[in-house]
Amino acid sequence: AQQYENILVETRGRVGLVTLNRPQALNALNKATMEEIVAATAAMDADPAVGAVVITGSEKAFAAGADIKEMSSKGYMDMYAEDWFRGWESLTRLRIPVVAAVSGFALGGGCELAMMCDVIIAGDNAKFGQPEINLGVIPGMGGSQRLTHAVGKAKAMDMVLTGRMMDAAEAERAGLVSRVVPAASVVEEALKAAEVIASKSKPAAMLAKEAVNAAFELGLAQGVLFERRVFHSLFATEDQKEGMAAFSEKRQPEFKHR
Ligand code: CAA
């Protein structure tokens, strides 16, 4: 297995688990960490034995943002020439579902990383925020866009302009997170959710993810048409036959393509 410096990687059943491991920097996302997350999750995406991924941090911090110390002395041409943060786009192109297990701080790039995931399970100690305004900049990993999609203009403007944090209860009310669970069990609950996802027909799960994501890119009529065409296409799979037969026979389905 490949060795990483900033993350821990393991497989639990059909779920790949990535744990950010830079405790000395509250899991600040430097370039090396981004590259490791992208490489590890891409390998999981390509592994037929893996059906879902969980990304988590520590109890104190999911991630406290992009690494401020790594960026502070850079100039415009450095950022532009390196197309800083572009590497994260690879994470958003994974086909298998990704669950974020968020405990503690999810700030700046940490909040943005969580929002790149498909499901966010938050501990009741989670704190979300886009504090870049306090550093004289703005979100750079998609926060101004994904947060606005997730919680609407009113909350997004509040968060991005004041830099204040949202606690887990407010994040759930606002629709930023999927579920809130006790902080001590956030990884366990995320692994359970991911295992449920990974037990489904893999093509169905991947296409379900693609269809929901299409809602952020397409107009309603185009999106509904995309969904219907994909729905039709799933009738070419053995798993559709098995899933529907199992329902009629009152038994659990045994999906072939997992
Ligand atoms: N980058 C680099 N180092 C960071 C960091 C970050 N984003 N966040 C925390 N650290 C480091 C601290 O510098 C400190 O290191 P030292 O011990 O060497 O000084 C260590 O992690 C522990 O942090 P604190 O002592 O600050 O811990 P705390 O409990 O007192 O405070 C906190 C916690 C409120 C999260 C505070 O660390 C903080 O405000 N962090 C920065 C949050 C932030 O501004 N994030 C946005 C970054 S910019 C960005 O993300 C751009 C983008 O859109 C992608």
Side-chain angles (χ1 to χ4, degrees), residues 24-26 28 60 64 66-69 85 108-109 112 132 139-141:
Q24 72 283 8
L26 299 182
K60 180 168 180 191
D67 192 313
I68 299 168
K69 293 165 189 169
F85 294 148
E112 292 166 296
E132 290 89 347
M141 281 166 51

Side-chain angles (χ1 to χ4, degrees), residues 22-29 60-61 63-71 85 88 105 107-110 112 129-132 134-135 137-143 165:
R22 291 189 77 207
Q24 72 283 8
L26 299 182
N27 293 327
L29 301 162
K60 180 168 180 191
D67 192 313
I68 299 168
K69 293 165 189 169
E70 185 180 49
M71 293 184 292
F85 294 148
W88 289 108
F105 295 112
L107 301 178
E112 292 166 296
Q130 297 291 161
E132 290 89 347
N134 299 326
L135 301 167
V137 292
I138 71 167
M141 281 166 51
M165 295 184 207

Side-chain angles (χ1 to χ4, degrees), residues 9-244:
V9 173
E10 58 193 293
T11 307
R12 303 267 188 99
R14 294 186 43 79
V15 176
L17 175 62
V18 174
T19 305
L20 308 190
N21 189 30
R22 291 189 77 207
Q24 72 283 8
L26 299 182
N27 293 327
L29 301 162
N30 61 4
K31 191 174 178 193
T33 303
M34 173 188 75
E35 287 169 352
E36 291 185 3
I37 294 170
V38 164
T41 54
M44 289 167 179
D45 201 52
D47 184 346
V50 176
V53 172
V54 171
I55 300 180
T56 194
S58 68
E59 188 156 352
K60 180 168 180 191
F62 177 71
D67 192 313
I68 299 168
K69 293 165 189 169
E70 185 180 49
M71 293 184 292
S72 58
S73 65
K74 289 186 183 290
Y76 169 76
M77 269 316 298
D78 304 315
M79 299 303 265
Y80 178 74
E82 292 186 57
D83 207 356
W84 202 253
F85 294 148
R86 178 187 177 176
W88 289 108
E89 284 183 8
S90 303
L91 186 69
T92 67
R93 285 197 293 268
L94 296 179
R95 300 209 299 169
I96 58 175
V98 183
V99 178
V102 177
S103 189
F105 295 112
L107 301 178
C111 184
E112 292 166 296
L113 170 58
M115 292 191 292
M116 284 180 216
C117 299
D118 302 306
V119 173
I120 303 180
I121 300 196
D124 53 17
N125 66 339
K127 298 249 186 230
F128 296 87
Q130 297 291 161
E132 290 89 347
I133 194 88
N134 299 326
L135 301 167
V137 292
I138 71 167
M141 281 166 51
S144 66
Q145 307 304 297
R146 290 199 179 89
L147 186 65
T148 310
H149 278 293
V151 305
K153 175 177 168 177
K155 288 275 184 197
M157 282 290 190
D158 178 6
M159 304 295 294
V160 169
L161 289 173
T162 69
R164 77 172 175 90
M165 295 184 207
M166 239 190 216
D167 65 17
E170 184 180 4
E172 187 177 34
R173 278 200 305 279
L176 177 58
V177 305
S178 313
R179 313 178 195 171
V180 177
V181 301
S185 58
V186 66
V187 176
E188 189 189 321
E189 293 297 329
L191 284 168
K192 267 195 231 164
E195 194 57 60
V196 168
I197 293 166
S199 75
K200 313 295 185 193
S201 164
K202 193 167 174 180
M206 292 194 298
L207 286 166
K209 165 172 173 163
E210 199 172 332
V212 173
N213 279 332
F216 297 101
E217 309 290 347
L218 304 177
L220 181 62
Q222 275 181 303
V224 169
L225 178 61
F226 176 76
E227 178 196 79
R228 197 162 65 242
R229 296 298 186 231
V230 170
F231 178 77
H232 295 161
S233 77
L234 285 165
F235 285 72
T237 64
E238 292 160 287
D239 286 343
Q240 172 268 328
K241 299 287 172 291
E242 168 60 12
M244 293 192 179

